[in-house]
Amino acid sequence: MKTGLFFDLRNPPRWQRPWADHYRGTLDLIAEAEERGADAVWLTEHHFTEDGYLPQPLTFAAAVAARTSRVRIGTGILLAALRHPRHTAEEAAVVDLVSGGRLELGIGAGFSRREYDAFGADLRRRYSLTDGAAAEIRRLLAEEVTPPPVQSPVPLWMGYQGPQGARRAGLLGTGLLSLDPRLLEPYTEALAEGGHLPSVARMGGLMDIIVADDPERAFQRILPHYAYQVNSYRRMGAVGPDAPRDLTLDEVAAGAAPKGGAPGLTVLTPQDAVQAVRKRTAGLPVEHVYFWASVAAMPDDLTQRHVDLLLSEVAPALRSGSA
């Protein structure tokens, strides 16, 4: 099981830093994380956000590749239906070359009508478009792209959720970027149906955990940033001109766990984080787990301590199998 960090490069207006500094600081953090033993970094994609959510993950992946030498570099996920498959395949090949063969290409369908409309794609067909893009990208990388990637094949993942999404990934013979145990059966059944060996099965995904020495205190400091993140996703998924009402801090925190948390985010000690990861991944063919590096520009000291604890205590315990 490889342990990684997940970056969306959000830079919200309330806490905004100069953009060049923000990007430079993120690359510095990634280089430091590699030195501290991180196995992977994962990048994601969205468009039209006020906080500058990373819009071009493969471009940034090339910068990461140039600053690092060992970590795997993943996209979790790239919105493949918004690009021509050849464009994606060529960019992916360049990243794989620059990195010396470290790319993990995760693609997904997305959910924002505004994004699909802007790129001239039909949101109603997002799954069939994404399936088709995945198959064509894989073919191009194997047969036509010049110069070719280092890896043959480049690891391909589908960022699908739900049983039907798991089946789609299985039929394609890709990895599945989900840690939902309910998806293992439809995924592995579809792998067999698609003529793929059982050994092809691999899962990975995001753990919504921040690691801290004092989870309750850290959660209270992170809560405004997490509330911002939750509300931005709600607005992103809105259909039509009427954006949903923003949730209050209390509403976001509803159901908080005793050690600090809210639905979709938990702040834990290193020991509790290890147990949570092991419980969630038990019985699954998990290859990658990754954690938010920062939640919507949360305080630097919390980000640094989270990364420190994750890489010095949580990741070694997961590798060794110790508690």
Side-chain angles (χ1 to χ4, degrees), residues 237-259:
V239 177
D242 297 325
R245 174 186 66 82
D246 279 357
L247 300 176
T248 66
L249 293 184
D250 288 343
E251 287 172 325
V252 171
K259 291 184 179 296

Side-chain angles (χ1 to χ4, degrees), residues 186-244:
Y187 172 52
T188 54
E189 287 179 351
L191 281 172
E193 185 179 335
H196 307 288
L197 294 174
S199 59
V200 171
R202 64 195 193 283
M203 297 174 74
L206 177 66
M207 297 293 303
D208 292 329
I209 293 172
I210 295 293
V211 189
D213 298 295
D214 184 341
E216 291 184 40
R217 185 163 178 259
F219 174 72
Q220 291 305 317
R221 295 179 64 199
I222 296 169
L223 180 56
H225 301 264
Y226 182 59
Y228 171 88
Q229 179 171 290
V230 168
N231 285 319
S232 71
Y233 277 126
R234 283 164 54 82
R235 291 191 296 269
M236 204 183 299
V239 177
D242 297 325

Side-chain angles (χ1 to χ4, degrees), residues 1-145:
M1 186 188 301
K2 298 178 177 67
T3 304
L5 292 169
F6 186 64
F7 294 87
D8 57 16
L9 276 82
R10 288 176 179 269
N11 191 16
R14 180 176 170 185
W15 305 284
Q16 192 169 102
R17 307 173 189 201
W19 282 103
D21 293 347
H22 180 54
Y23 269 57
R24 187 181 307 111
T26 302
L27 288 169
D28 289 343
L29 179 59
I30 289 171
E32 177 188 349
E34 180 181 65
E35 292 179 1
R36 297 287 306 276
D39 296 311
V41 295
W42 291 78
L43 310 170
T44 183
E45 173 185 356
H46 275 300
H47 302 265
F48 305 114
T49 64
E50 65 175 4
D51 58 20
Y53 198 118
L54 180 62
Q56 297 295 335
L58 286 174
T59 302
F60 194 73
V64 172
R67 285 287 306 271
T68 58
S69 61
R70 182 186 54 77
V71 291
R72 304 294 297 176
I73 304 169
T75 57
I77 48 80
L78 180 89
L79 298 172
L82 307 187
R83 298 171 172 80
H84 192 287
R86 184 174 295 275
H87 191 178
T88 301
E90 290 179 347
E91 282 195 328
V94 168
V95 172
D96 203 54
L97 287 164
V98 174
S99 68
R102 290 184 282 132
L103 179 64
E104 303 274 343
L105 185 59
I107 68 177
F111 58 86
S112 169
R113 181 177 300 280
R114 185 180 181 190
E115 290 176 335
Y116 271 74
D117 288 348
F119 286 90
D122 186 350
L123 180 67
R124 295 169 299 180
R125 299 180 56 227
R126 61 190 182 276
Y127 295 112
S128 60
L129 290 172
T130 303
D131 286 353
E136 180 65 0
I137 290 164
R138 180 163 54 190
R139 186 191 72 79
L140 290 166
L141 285 169
E143 300 176 6
E144 291 190 18
V145 167

